[in-house]
């Protein structure tokens, strides 16, 4: 890599940020496309976020990604928001155009693209989604934007389910349920698509979300977890003959859309996916 006086600077704001795979993925994309740019991690504490955002303008950083815990707060600090970022109240990408900052949310569109590339269109589908955290908001919004007929939202903390359900129902047909025995099973049996947006399945010894034996072979089962590549939910679904999709595609495509927003160029999705696969799975 040759850094000169003309090299553009991009990066990611997070706290912590050490675990982020975005520097690897975006650097690979810039290099592959011959773009004279670097992409670096910025560990920005919540107290320093306001100054950090001002710093983007002051230092002429061309764009940043934003990760936990800053996605919500950044919305208040930029000049404009995209429709998706405004609806979700969460920004994961900022573009700096001559000192004017626009916040975008590429998680939702990234999720949809990851399904489309696997040949799954959500239009008219009955979907069961587990979770009501930050990721669930973006994924649920994407499913409704993509035309899902109904979204059954199930979460352990029912109050959270109701809050997310209230927001998402502005976009489509949403029904909310607490995570209880039998409720999930009967909904899953009748679903076209099942999506896990909870963190259940990341760690060895995690509980099961529901009795996975009820999954039918024609159901598409999605888990936005990407490590491990096959969670117990996806393993069980695969054994039933289901099409399964993990979270790697969402991670790649949210980054690819950010790259496209910044550069106006088509992102080298395969290159981005390859570096992530190498880093995650060896
Ligand atoms: N592929 C991607 O690009 C991508 C992007 C973002 C996130 N993710 C993944 O998505 C997952 C969730 O992220 P997030 O940011 O939404 O986290 P979050 O805001 O902390 O939400 C966590 C969710 O998991 C549920 N949960 C946690 N432990 C549970 C348990 N033992 N039983 C039942 N439910 C449980 C929570 O339920 P309660 O409300 O009841 O606590 C909540 O719905 C993580 O695994 C993350 O790695 C992937």
């Amino acid at each position: 890599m040759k850094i000169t006086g003309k090299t553009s600077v991009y990066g990611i704001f997070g706290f912590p940020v050490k675990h982020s795979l975005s520097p690897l993925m975006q650097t690979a994309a810039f290099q592959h496309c011959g773009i004279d740019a670097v992409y670096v991690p910025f560990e920005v504490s919540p107290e320093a976020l306001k100054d950090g955002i001002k710093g983007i303008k002051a230092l002429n950083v061309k764009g940043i990604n934003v990760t936990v815990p800053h996605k919500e707060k950044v919305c208040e600090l930029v000049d404009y928001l995209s429709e998706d970022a405004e609806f979700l109240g969460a920004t994961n990408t900022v573009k700096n155009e001559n000192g004017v900052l626009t916040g975008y949310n590429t998680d939702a569109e990234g999720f949809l693209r990851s399904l489309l590339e696997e040949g799954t269109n959500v239009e008219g589908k009955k979907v069961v989604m587990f979770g009501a955290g930050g990721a669930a908001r973006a994924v649920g919004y994407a499913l409704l934007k993509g035309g899902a007929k109904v979204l059954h939202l199930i979460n352990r903390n029912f109050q959270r389910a109701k809050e997310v359900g209230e927001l998402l129902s502005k976009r489509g047909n949403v029904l909310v349920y607490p995570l209880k025995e039998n409720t999930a099973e009967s909904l899953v049996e009748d679903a076209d698509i099942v999506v896990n947006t909870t963190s259940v399945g990341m760690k060895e010894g995690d509980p099961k979300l529901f009795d996975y034996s009820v999954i039918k072979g024609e159901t598409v089962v999605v888990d936005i977890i990407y490590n491990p590549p096959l969670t117990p939910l996806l393993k069980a679904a695969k054994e039933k003959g289901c099409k399964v999709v993990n979270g790697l595609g969402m991670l790649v495509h949210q980054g690819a859309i950010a790259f496209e927003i910044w550069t106006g160029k088509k992102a080298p999705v395969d290159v981005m996916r390859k570096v992530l696969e190498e880093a995650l799975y060896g």
Side-chain angles (χ1 to χ4, degrees), residues 131-136 155-157 160 179 197-200 202 207 209 224-226 247-248 250-251 254:
N155 195 50
R156 180 178 60 176
N157 177 332
R160 264 180 118 184
L179 181 61
T197 72
T198 76
S199 46
V200 173
M202 280 179 94
L209 284 165
I224 66 161
I225 293 171
Y226 47 81
L248 188 69
M250 178 176 173
L251 182 65
Q254 62 77 29

Side-chain angles (χ1 to χ4, degrees), residues 112-135:
L112 267 192
R113 280 201 198 176
S114 78
L115 291 193
L116 281 174
E117 81 177 348
E118 296 290 337
T120 297
N121 190 333
V122 302
E123 202 173 343
K125 301 284 165 53
K126 287 182 273 181
V127 184
V128 174
M129 181 177 86
F130 291 88

Side-chain angles (χ1 to χ4, degrees), residues 4-270:
T4 71
K6 292 187 207 140
T7 303
S8 298
V9 179
Y10 293 82
I12 179 164
F13 280 21
F15 191 73
V17 78
K18 286 186 182 71
H19 64 283
S20 175
L21 294 166
S22 294
L24 200 64
M25 173 166 67
Q26 297 293 356
T27 299
F30 284 135
Q31 286 188 345
H32 179 83
C33 296
I35 295 171
D36 185 9
V38 292
Y39 183 107
V40 290
F42 293 107
E43 190 168 78
V44 183
S45 70
E47 303 75 58
L49 184 63
K50 202 169 171 188
D51 288 341
I53 295 291
K54 277 191 199 156
I56 297 175
K57 293 189 186 188
L59 302 174
N60 196 21
V61 172
K62 299 287 186 195
I64 55 158
N65 284 128
V66 180
T67 187
V68 180
H70 300 316
K71 287 185 182 186
E72 290 79 20
K73 187 79 186 157
V74 162
C75 292
E76 298 163 22
L77 302 172
V78 294
D79 301 303
Y80 296 100
L81 288 173
S82 72
E83 189 196 337
D84 290 0
E86 185 159 19
F87 182 87
L88 293 166
T91 287
N92 76 334
T93 300
V94 175
K95 183 176 186 179
N96 178 4
E97 285 168 294
N98 305 315
V100 179
L101 305 185
T102 305
Y104 298 84
N105 187 302
T106 70
D107 286 327
E109 190 61 29
F111 174 78
L112 267 192
R113 280 201 198 176
S114 78
L115 291 193
L116 281 174
E117 81 177 348
E118 296 290 337
T120 297
N121 190 333
V122 302
E123 202 173 343
K125 301 284 165 53
K126 287 182 273 181
V127 184
V128 174
M129 181 177 86
F130 291 88
R137 286 170 183 252
V139 168
Y141 171 69
L143 288 162
L144 295 168
K145 216 177 159 190
K149 186 172 154 191
V150 59
L151 179 67
H152 297 285
L153 190 163
I154 305 173
N155 195 50
R156 180 178 60 176
N157 177 332
F158 189 45
Q159 183 54 35
R160 264 180 118 184
K162 285 196 276 194
E163 283 162 21
V164 177
E166 196 179 323
L167 172 77
L168 296 181
S169 60
K170 293 182 189 143
R171 276 298 172 143
N173 189 10
V174 186
L175 298 163
V176 296
Y177 313 81
L179 181 61
K180 274 205 302 232
E181 234 174 288
N182 298 326
T183 313
E185 282 77 2
S186 57
L187 290 168
V188 165
E189 274 179 314
D190 191 40
D192 301 309
I193 302 174
V194 172
V195 185
N196 175 37
T197 72
T198 76
S199 46
V200 173
M202 280 179 94
K203 297 187 307 292
E204 195 96 14
D206 273 355
K208 275 188 182 178
L209 284 165
F210 62 96
D211 175 4
Y212 299 155
S213 70
V214 302
I215 300 170
K216 295 198 172 123
E218 46 288 5
T219 310
V220 176
V221 181
V222 185
D223 198 326
I224 66 161
I225 293 171
Y226 47 81
N227 204 10
L230 274 185
T231 58
L233 168 66
L234 291 189
K235 257 187 210 159
K238 210 172 175 193
E239 276 162 22
K240 288 283 182 118
C242 300
K243 180 193 277 190
V244 300
V245 183
N246 72 15
L248 188 69
M250 178 176 173
L251 182 65
V252 170
H253 284 287
Q254 62 77 29
I257 298 165
F259 178 94
E260 288 166 7
I261 287 168
W262 294 325
T263 66
K265 292 187 164 55
K266 198 168 163 14
V269 170
D270 293 342

